[in-house]
Amino acid sequence: MRLSGLQREVLILYRQCLRECRKKPEATRKHFQTFARDEFEKNIKLDKRDFSAIEFLLRKGRRQLEMYASPGVKDIRK
């Protein structure tokens, strides 16, 4: 199955999130993984042709990843 450009970008962002989780302290790593998974699952029903919404969420996700990837962020909770 071939993926569209946006689908590839979403998967790349998800993988980046999971890679960043591995850099966090082991005690809180699960919190980061759960947060990332929940954020992606929240929008799983989004119409794949709604390009503007997907692009907005990709930008938002990248900003969040950049913020949470900071070494000063040790834990995340909802």
Side-chain angles (χ1 to χ4, degrees):
M1 179 173 110
R2 291 183 52 111
L3 299 175
S4 73
L6 278 178
Q7 287 172 323
R8 264 195 306 273
E9 285 186 56
V10 170
L11 287 174
I12 289 168
L13 179 60
Y14 186 67
R15 288 185 194 117
Q16 288 173 333
C17 290
L18 294 180
R19 285 186 190 111
E20 283 300 322
C21 290
R22 289 189 227 133
K23 297 177 184 177
K24 296 301 178 180
E26 195 165 335
T28 61
R29 192 172 298 157
K30 194 72 173 163
H31 298 154
F32 284 95
Q33 291 169 340
T34 302
F35 179 80
R37 183 180 184 108
D38 289 347
E39 287 296 304
F40 278 86
E41 284 183 352
K42 260 198 284 192
N43 299 297
I44 202 160
K45 297 286 186 192
L46 194 63
D47 183 12
K48 65 182 177 183
R49 293 177 301 247
D50 192 353
F51 303 121
S52 60
I54 295 169
E55 289 170 349
F56 168 77
L57 290 168
L58 278 168
R59 284 191 305 274
K60 178 183 172 193
R62 288 182 187 123
R63 282 192 309 268
Q64 282 183 318
L65 175 61
E66 185 179 327
M67 185 174 61
Y68 294 136
S70 168
V73 178
K74 302 289 184 201
D75 196 4
I76 188 170
R77 302 220 184 215
K78 284 192 167 193

Short mmCIF file of all heavy atoms in Angstrom, two decimals, residues 21-64:
data_model
loop_
_atom_site.label_atom_id
_atom_site.label_comp_id
_atom_site.label_asym_id
_atom_site.label_seq_id
_atom_site.Cartn_x
_atom_site.Cartn_y
_atom_site.Cartn_z
N CYS A 21 10.84 9.71 23.22
CA CYS A 21 10.42 9.06 24.47
C CYS A 21 11.56 8.24 25.05
O CYS A 21 11.74 8.18 26.27
CB CYS A 21 9.22 8.15 24.24
SG CYS A 21 7.69 9.02 23.88
N ARG A 22 12.34 7.62 24.17
CA ARG A 22 13.45 6.77 24.63
C ARG A 22 14.55 7.58 25.31
O ARG A 22 15.36 7.03 26.04
CB ARG A 22 14.05 5.99 23.47
CG ARG A 22 13.13 4.90 22.98
CD ARG A 22 13.84 4.02 21.97
NE ARG A 22 12.94 3.85 20.84
CZ ARG A 22 13.28 3.98 19.57
NH1 ARG A 22 14.50 4.27 19.24
NH2 ARG A 22 12.38 3.82 18.64
N LYS A 23 14.59 8.88 25.07
CA LYS A 23 15.62 9.74 25.67
C LYS A 23 15.22 10.23 27.06
O LYS A 23 16.03 10.83 27.75
CB LYS A 23 15.87 10.95 24.77
CG LYS A 23 16.41 10.58 23.41
CD LYS A 23 16.58 11.81 22.56
CE LYS A 23 17.02 11.45 21.16
NZ LYS A 23 17.12 12.65 20.31
N LYS A 24 13.98 9.99 27.45
CA LYS A 24 13.48 10.46 28.74
C LYS A 24 13.81 9.45 29.83
O LYS A 24 14.09 8.28 29.55
CB LYS A 24 11.96 10.69 28.67
CG LYS A 24 11.56 11.78 27.69
CD LYS A 24 12.20 13.09 28.04
CE LYS A 24 11.87 14.18 27.05
NZ LYS A 24 12.49 15.45 27.38
N PRO A 25 13.78 9.89 31.10
CA PRO A 25 14.08 8.96 32.20
C PRO A 25 13.15 7.74 32.14
O PRO A 25 11.97 7.87 31.81
CB PRO A 25 13.81 9.78 33.46
CG PRO A 25 13.90 11.21 33.01
CD PRO A 25 13.48 11.23 31.58
N GLU A 26 13.69 6.59 32.45
CA GLU A 26 12.92 5.36 32.35
C GLU A 26 11.66 5.39 33.20
O GLU A 26 10.63 4.84 32.82
CB GLU A 26 13.78 4.15 32.74
CG GLU A 26 13.16 2.86 32.32
CD GLU A 26 14.14 1.71 32.35
OE1 GLU A 26 15.35 1.93 32.25
OE2 GLU A 26 13.66 0.58 32.48
N ALA A 27 11.72 6.06 34.33
CA ALA A 27 10.57 6.11 35.23
C ALA A 27 9.38 6.85 34.62
O ALA A 27 8.23 6.55 34.93
CB ALA A 27 10.97 6.77 36.55
N THR A 28 9.65 7.81 33.74
CA THR A 28 8.56 8.61 33.17
C THR A 28 8.36 8.36 31.68
O THR A 28 7.48 8.96 31.07
CB THR A 28 8.84 10.11 33.39
OG1 THR A 28 10.06 10.46 32.73
CG2 THR A 28 8.92 10.44 34.86
N ARG A 29 9.14 7.49 31.11
CA ARG A 29 9.07 7.22 29.67
C ARG A 29 7.66 6.80 29.24
O ARG A 29 7.16 7.22 28.20
CB ARG A 29 10.08 6.12 29.33
CG ARG A 29 10.31 5.93 27.87
CD ARG A 29 11.45 4.98 27.62
NE ARG A 29 12.68 5.53 28.17
CZ ARG A 29 13.73 4.79 28.51
NH1 ARG A 29 13.71 3.49 28.36
NH2 ARG A 29 14.81 5.37 28.99
N LYS A 30 7.02 5.99 30.06
CA LYS A 30 5.68 5.49 29.73
C LYS A 30 4.68 6.64 29.63
O LYS A 30 3.78 6.61 28.80
CB LYS A 30 5.24 4.49 30.80
CG LYS A 30 4.05 3.69 30.41
CD LYS A 30 4.42 2.67 29.35
CE LYS A 30 3.26 1.75 29.09
NZ LYS A 30 3.41 1.05 27.83
N HIS A 31 4.84 7.69 30.47
CA HIS A 31 3.95 8.85 30.41
C HIS A 31 4.06 9.53 29.04
O HIS A 31 3.05 9.93 28.46
CB HIS A 31 4.28 9.86 31.50
CG HIS A 31 4.11 9.32 32.88
ND1 HIS A 31 4.81 9.82 33.94
CD2 HIS A 31 3.33 8.34 33.39
CE1 HIS A 31 4.47 9.17 35.04
NE2 HIS A 31 3.58 8.26 34.71
N PHE A 32 5.28 9.67 28.54
CA PHE A 32 5.49 10.31 27.23
C PHE A 32 4.90 9.46 26.11
O PHE A 32 4.27 9.98 25.20
CB PHE A 32 6.98 10.56 26.98
CG PHE A 32 7.53 11.72 27.75
CD1 PHE A 32 8.14 11.52 28.98
CD2 PHE A 32 7.42 13.01 27.26
CE1 PHE A 32 8.64 12.59 29.70
CE2 PHE A 32 7.92 14.08 27.97
CZ PHE A 32 8.54 13.87 29.20
N GLN A 33 5.11 8.15 26.19
CA GLN A 33 4.57 7.25 25.16
C GLN A 33 3.05 7.29 25.14
O GLN A 33 2.43 7.36 24.08
CB GLN A 33 5.06 5.82 25.39
CG GLN A 33 6.53 5.65 25.15
CD GLN A 33 7.05 4.32 25.63
OE1 GLN A 33 6.45 3.65 26.47
NE2 GLN A 33 8.20 3.92 25.11
N THR A 34 2.45 7.26 26.32
CA THR A 34 0.99 7.30 26.42
C THR A 34 0.45 8.62 25.89
O THR A 34 -0.54 8.65 25.15
CB THR A 34 0.54 7.09 27.88
OG1 THR A 34 1.06 5.85 28.34
CG2 THR A 34 -0.96 7.10 28.01
N PHE A 35 1.11 9.71 26.23
CA PHE A 35 0.68 11.03 25.75
C PHE A 35 0.72 11.08 24.23
O PHE A 35 -0.23 11.52 23.57
CB PHE A 35 1.56 12.12 26.36
CG PHE A 35 1.19 13.50 25.88
CD1 PHE A 35 0.11 14.17 26.42
CD2 PHE A 35 1.94 14.12 24.89
CE1 PHE A 35 -0.23 15.44 25.98
CE2 PHE A 35 1.60 15.39 24.44
CZ PHE A 35 0.52 16.05 24.98
N ALA A 36 1.84 10.63 23.65
CA ALA A 36 1.99 10.67 22.18
C ALA A 36 0.91 9.82 21.52
O ALA A 36 0.25 10.26 20.57
CB ALA A 36 3.38 10.18 21.79
N ARG A 37 0.72 8.63 22.02
CA ARG A 37 -0.27 7.73 21.43
C ARG A 37 -1.68 8.33 21.53
O ARG A 37 -2.44 8.31 20.55
CB ARG A 37 -0.22 6.38 22.12
CG ARG A 37 -1.16 5.38 21.50
CD ARG A 37 -1.09 4.04 22.22
NE ARG A 37 -1.94 3.11 21.54
CZ ARG A 37 -1.51 2.10 20.81
NH1 ARG A 37 -0.21 1.89 20.68
NH2 ARG A 37 -2.36 1.29 20.22
N ASP A 38 -2.01 8.88 22.68
CA ASP A 38 -3.33 9.48 22.87
C ASP A 38 -3.56 10.66 21.93
O ASP A 38 -4.65 10.83 21.38
CB ASP A 38 -3.53 9.93 24.32
CG ASP A 38 -3.68 8.78 25.28
OD1 ASP A 38 -3.87 7.63 24.82
OD2 ASP A 38 -3.59 9.01 26.51
N GLU A 39 -2.52 11.48 21.74
CA GLU A 39 -2.65 12.64 20.86
C GLU A 39 -2.92 12.20 19.42
O GLU A 39 -3.73 12.81 18.72
CB GLU A 39 -1.40 13.52 20.92
CG GLU A 39 -1.27 14.30 22.20
CD GLU A 39 -2.38 15.32 22.38
OE1 GLU A 39 -2.58 16.17 21.50
OE2 GLU A 39 -3.06 15.25 23.42
N PHE A 40 -2.26 11.15 18.97
CA PHE A 40 -2.48 10.67 17.61
C PHE A 40 -3.84 9.98 17.50
O PHE A 40 -4.54 10.14 16.50
CB PHE A 40 -1.36 9.73 17.17
CG PHE A 40 -0.14 10.47 16.69
CD1 PHE A 40 0.83 10.90 17.57
CD2 PHE A 40 0.01 10.76 15.34
CE1 PHE A 40 1.94 11.60 17.14
CE2 PHE A 40 1.12 11.46 14.89
CZ PHE A 40 2.09 11.88 15.79
N GLU A 41 -4.22 9.22 18.50
CA GLU A 41 -5.50 8.51 18.45
C GLU A 41 -6.69 9.45 18.51
O GLU A 41 -7.76 9.13 17.99
CB GLU A 41 -5.58 7.48 19.58
CG GLU A 41 -4.75 6.24 19.29
CD GLU A 41 -4.87 5.18 20.36
OE1 GLU A 41 -5.47 5.44 21.43
OE2 GLU A 41 -4.35 4.08 20.12
N LYS A 42 -6.51 10.62 19.12
CA LYS A 42 -7.60 11.60 19.19
C LYS A 42 -8.08 11.99 17.80
O LYS A 42 -9.25 12.31 17.61
CB LYS A 42 -7.11 12.87 19.90
CG LYS A 42 -7.51 12.98 21.33
CD LYS A 42 -7.38 14.40 21.82
CE LYS A 42 -5.95 14.79 22.06
NZ LYS A 42 -5.80 16.05 22.79
N ASN A 43 -7.18 11.97 16.84
CA ASN A 43 -7.50 12.45 15.50
C ASN A 43 -7.52 11.35 14.45
O ASN A 43 -7.47 11.63 13.27
CB ASN A 43 -6.48 13.53 15.11
CG ASN A 43 -6.54 14.69 16.06
OD1 ASN A 43 -7.56 15.36 16.16
ND2 ASN A 43 -5.47 14.92 16.79
N ILE A 44 -7.62 10.12 14.89
CA ILE A 44 -7.57 9.00 13.95
C ILE A 44 -8.77 8.98 13.00
O ILE A 44 -8.67 8.50 11.87
CB ILE A 44 -7.42 7.66 14.70
CG1 ILE A 44 -6.82 6.61 13.78
CG2 ILE A 44 -8.73 7.20 15.29
CD1 ILE A 44 -6.20 5.46 14.50
N LYS A 45 -9.89 9.53 13.42
CA LYS A 45 -11.10 9.53 12.59
C LYS A 45 -11.15 10.71 11.62
O LYS A 45 -12.11 10.86 10.87
CB LYS A 45 -12.35 9.56 13.48
CG LYS A 45 -12.50 8.34 14.36
CD LYS A 45 -12.92 7.15 13.56
CE LYS A 45 -13.21 6.00 14.51
NZ LYS A 45 -13.35 4.74 13.84
N LEU A 46 -10.14 11.55 11.65
CA LEU A 46 -10.09 12.72 10.78
C LEU A 46 -10.08 12.26 9.31
O LEU A 46 -9.38 11.32 8.95
CB LEU A 46 -8.82 13.52 11.08
CG LEU A 46 -8.72 14.91 10.53
CD1 LEU A 46 -9.80 15.80 11.12
CD2 LEU A 46 -7.36 15.49 10.85
N ASP A 47 -10.89 12.92 8.49
CA ASP A 47 -10.96 12.58 7.07
C ASP A 47 -9.59 12.82 6.43
O ASP A 47 -9.01 13.89 6.57
CB ASP A 47 -12.02 13.45 6.39
CG ASP A 47 -12.20 13.12 4.93
OD1 ASP A 47 -11.68 12.07 4.47
OD2 ASP A 47 -12.89 13.90 4.24
N LYS A 48 -9.08 11.82 5.75
CA LYS A 48 -7.74 11.93 5.17
C LYS A 48 -7.66 12.95 4.04
O LYS A 48 -6.58 13.28 3.58
CB LYS A 48 -7.21 10.58 4.73
CG LYS A 48 -7.95 9.92 3.61
CD LYS A 48 -7.33 8.56 3.31
CE LYS A 48 -8.13 7.85 2.24
NZ LYS A 48 -7.59 6.53 1.99
N ARG A 49 -8.80 13.46 3.60
CA ARG A 49 -8.81 14.51 2.57
C ARG A 49 -8.91 15.91 3.18
O ARG A 49 -8.92 16.90 2.45
CB ARG A 49 -9.97 14.27 1.61
CG ARG A 49 -9.79 13.01 0.78
CD ARG A 49 -10.99 12.78 -0.09
NE ARG A 49 -12.18 12.65 0.75
CZ ARG A 49 -12.90 11.55 0.89
NH1 ARG A 49 -12.57 10.47 0.24
NH2 ARG A 49 -13.96 11.52 1.66
N ASP A 50 -8.96 16.00 4.49
CA ASP A 50 -9.03 17.30 5.17
C ASP A 50 -7.60 17.81 5.37
O ASP A 50 -7.05 17.81 6.47
CB ASP A 50 -9.76 17.15 6.51
CG ASP A 50 -10.13 18.48 7.13
OD1 ASP A 50 -9.69 19.53 6.60
OD2 ASP A 50 -10.84 18.47 8.15
N PHE A 51 -7.00 18.25 4.27
CA PHE A 51 -5.59 18.61 4.25
C PHE A 51 -5.23 19.74 5.21
O PHE A 51 -4.19 19.70 5.87
CB PHE A 51 -5.14 18.97 2.83
CG PHE A 51 -5.38 17.86 1.84
CD1 PHE A 51 -6.19 18.08 0.74
CD2 PHE A 51 -4.84 16.61 2.02
CE1 PHE A 51 -6.43 17.08 -0.17
CE2 PHE A 51 -5.07 15.59 1.12
CZ PHE A 51 -5.87 15.82 0.01
N SER A 52 -6.08 20.75 5.27
CA SER A 52 -5.76 21.89 6.13
C SER A 52 -5.73 21.47 7.60
O SER A 52 -4.85 21.90 8.35
CB SER A 52 -6.73 23.05 5.91
OG SER A 52 -8.05 22.65 6.20
N ALA A 53 -6.66 20.63 8.03
CA ALA A 53 -6.68 20.17 9.42
C ALA A 53 -5.46 19.30 9.71
O ALA A 53 -4.83 19.43 10.77
CB ALA A 53 -7.96 19.40 9.72
N ILE A 54 -5.11 18.43 8.77
CA ILE A 54 -3.96 17.55 8.97
C ILE A 54 -2.67 18.36 9.03
O ILE A 54 -1.83 18.13 9.90
CB ILE A 54 -3.89 16.49 7.85
CG1 ILE A 54 -5.11 15.56 7.93
CG2 ILE A 54 -2.60 15.68 7.94
CD1 ILE A 54 -5.29 14.65 6.74
N GLU A 55 -2.53 19.33 8.14
CA GLU A 55 -1.33 20.17 8.15
C GLU A 55 -1.24 20.98 9.44
O GLU A 55 -0.16 21.14 10.01
CB GLU A 55 -1.33 21.08 6.94
CG GLU A 55 -1.05 20.33 5.65
CD GLU A 55 -1.26 21.16 4.40
OE1 GLU A 55 -1.84 22.28 4.50
OE2 GLU A 55 -0.88 20.69 3.32
N PHE A 56 -2.39 21.48 9.92
CA PHE A 56 -2.41 22.21 11.18
C PHE A 56 -1.95 21.30 12.32
O PHE A 56 -1.11 21.68 13.14
CB PHE A 56 -3.81 22.76 11.47
CG PHE A 56 -3.97 23.25 12.88
CD1 PHE A 56 -3.46 24.48 13.26
CD2 PHE A 56 -4.60 22.48 13.84
CE1 PHE A 56 -3.58 24.94 14.56
CE2 PHE A 56 -4.74 22.92 15.14
CZ PHE A 56 -4.22 24.15 15.51
N LEU A 57 -2.48 20.09 12.37
CA LEU A 57 -2.12 19.15 13.45
C LEU A 57 -0.66 18.73 13.35
O LEU A 57 0.00 18.52 14.37
CB LEU A 57 -3.05 17.94 13.42
CG LEU A 57 -4.48 18.23 13.84
CD1 LEU A 57 -5.40 17.05 13.52
CD2 LEU A 57 -4.55 18.56 15.33
N LEU A 58 -0.13 18.61 12.14
CA LEU A 58 1.29 18.29 11.98
C LEU A 58 2.16 19.42 12.54
O LEU A 58 3.13 19.16 13.26
CB LEU A 58 1.63 18.06 10.51
CG LEU A 58 1.33 16.68 9.96
CD1 LEU A 58 1.44 16.68 8.43
CD2 LEU A 58 2.26 15.65 10.56
N ARG A 59 1.79 20.67 12.23
CA ARG A 59 2.56 21.81 12.77
C ARG A 59 2.48 21.83 14.29
O ARG A 59 3.49 22.03 14.97
CB ARG A 59 2.04 23.13 12.19
CG ARG A 59 2.47 23.37 10.76
CD ARG A 59 2.18 24.79 10.31
NE ARG A 59 0.79 25.18 10.46
CZ ARG A 59 -0.18 24.96 9.56
NH1 ARG A 59 0.11 24.33 8.45
NH2 ARG A 59 -1.41 25.38 9.78
N LYS A 60 1.27 21.61 14.81
CA LYS A 60 1.08 21.59 16.26
C LYS A 60 1.90 20.46 16.89
O LYS A 60 2.57 20.66 17.92
CB LYS A 60 -0.40 21.40 16.58
CG LYS A 60 -0.71 21.33 18.06
CD LYS A 60 -2.19 21.07 18.28
CE LYS A 60 -2.45 20.79 19.75
NZ LYS A 60 -3.79 20.25 19.96
N GLY A 61 1.88 19.29 16.28
CA GLY A 61 2.63 18.15 16.79
C GLY A 61 4.13 18.39 16.79
O GLY A 61 4.83 18.03 17.72
N ARG A 62 4.61 19.02 15.73
CA ARG A 62 6.05 19.32 15.66
C ARG A 62 6.46 20.31 16.74
O ARG A 62 7.53 20.18 17.35
CB ARG A 62 6.40 19.85 14.28
CG ARG A 62 6.35 18.79 13.22
CD ARG A 62 6.75 19.34 11.85
NE ARG A 62 6.55 18.34 10.82
CZ ARG A 62 5.78 18.52 9.76
NH1 ARG A 62 5.13 19.67 9.57
NH2 ARG A 62 5.64 17.57 8.87
N ARG A 63 5.61 21.31 16.98
CA ARG A 63 5.91 22.29 18.05
C ARG A 63 5.92 21.60 19.41
O ARG A 63 6.80 21.85 20.23
CB ARG A 63 4.90 23.42 18.05
CG ARG A 63 5.12 24.44 16.96
CD ARG A 63 4.28 25.69 17.18
NE ARG A 63 2.86 25.43 17.41
CZ ARG A 63 1.92 25.39 16.46
NH1 ARG A 63 2.26 25.58 15.20
NH2 ARG A 63 0.67 25.16 16.76
N GLN A 64 4.93 20.73 19.64
CA GLN A 64 4.88 20.00 20.91
C GLN A 64 6.10 19.11 21.07
O GLN A 64 6.70 19.04 22.14
CB GLN A 64 3.61 19.16 21.01
CG GLN A 64 2.39 19.95 21.35
CD GLN A 64 1.17 19.05 21.52
OE1 GLN A 64 0.96 18.12 20.75
NE2 GLN A 64 0.37 19.34 22.52
#
